[in-house]
Structure formats: C-alpha cells, structure tokens
Amino acid sequence: MTTDDTGRLAENLSRELRHIVMLLRRTTAGQPVTVQQYSVLGSLENGACRMTELAEEHGVQLPTMSVQVNRLEEAGLVARGTDASDARVRTVELTGEGRDRLRAVRRARIAYLSGRLGALTPEERAAIARALPALAKLGRS
C-alpha cells in the first residue's frame, strides 16, 4: 500500500467512524448526562482513576476534567476519593448509580447498533467482524 493509498484509507476511515459515532450518540440524545460525561464514566468502569489520568486519557486540561467530574458528582454518578499511596492525589470512581447508568447507555447503544447491523447482508456483517481485530489494534496503539 502506498502512502497515497494509506492517506485515502485514513481519510475514509475517519469519515466513516465519525458517522458511526454520531449514530451512537443519537441513542443518548436528550439525556441529562452528556456524551463526554458518559465517556468519563466508561473510563472509570474498571476502577478508580486519578484526575490527572482522566484528563490525559480524554485529551483535556485538568480544570476541564474537574468541571465534568463536578457535574457527575452532583448527579451522584461518581465519587471522589484519595489515592491510598498519596493522600494529596485525588481519585474518582463510579458510584452504583453511575455504573447502572453506564450499563443502561451501553445496552441502548448495543440494541440500536444491533438493529442497524441486522439491516446489512450476512457478507457485510462478516466483513465488519473480520475488520474488528485490526480496528481494536488501531484503537489501542
């Protein structure tokens, strides 16, 4: 694959991923929690996280992340804590309500996407299934 081919592939992938993300965002439209805040909840799914790590993961400054976490805390979806190894470090973790809300959003997105996938041909679904390992590798590199 040439550099031009790789560039075109990147451009096409970027465009299609944008459409898919917008499609999934529609499932949470009108909810009291924003898409960005759901993304923060997802980052906390595997346990407490330092505020600085959250900001870095989401590509925002610490004050911006603090605003998001404040709103999530006010809604009862996250709780702040301190790092056991350094009491000066602030952490954030999901509350039971936050975990429930995250699961509900995920179920809604999966149901919506399942319906859309059901409209594809078996060959198209198989092509997507074959592409998933490469997309996973791309997203985690």
Side-chain angles (χ1 to χ4, degrees), residues 107-125:
R107 279 192 306 270
R109 286 181 173 175
I110 289 169
Y112 186 73
L113 196 51
S114 292
R116 300 293 296 239
L117 287 167
L120 300 177
T121 67
E123 294 79 16
E124 289 168 329
R125 288 192 301 274

Side-chain angles (χ1 to χ4, degrees), residues 12-81:
N12 291 335
L13 179 60
S14 177
R15 181 181 58 248
E16 297 311 323
L17 287 176
R18 179 184 175 282
H19 291 300
I20 290 169
V21 167
M22 297 302 285
L23 177 82
L24 291 175
R25 283 182 177 179
R26 286 186 216 139
T27 63
T28 56
Q31 297 289 322
V33 178
T34 68
V35 172
Q36 293 81 10
Q37 289 167 339
Y38 278 123
S39 183
V40 172
L41 294 179
S43 294
L44 299 171
E45 189 170 25
N46 294 321
C49 192
R50 291 176 173 212
M51 287 288 293
T52 53
E53 292 169 342
L54 275 176
E56 184 178 312
E57 180 181 343
H58 291 266
V60 299
Q61 297 295 316
L62 188 56
T64 301
M65 183 54 65
S66 293
V67 169
Q68 293 296 331
V69 169
N70 287 344
R71 290 179 180 152
L72 290 167
E73 188 175 34
E74 289 167 8
L77 303 177
V78 301
R80 291 180 194 255

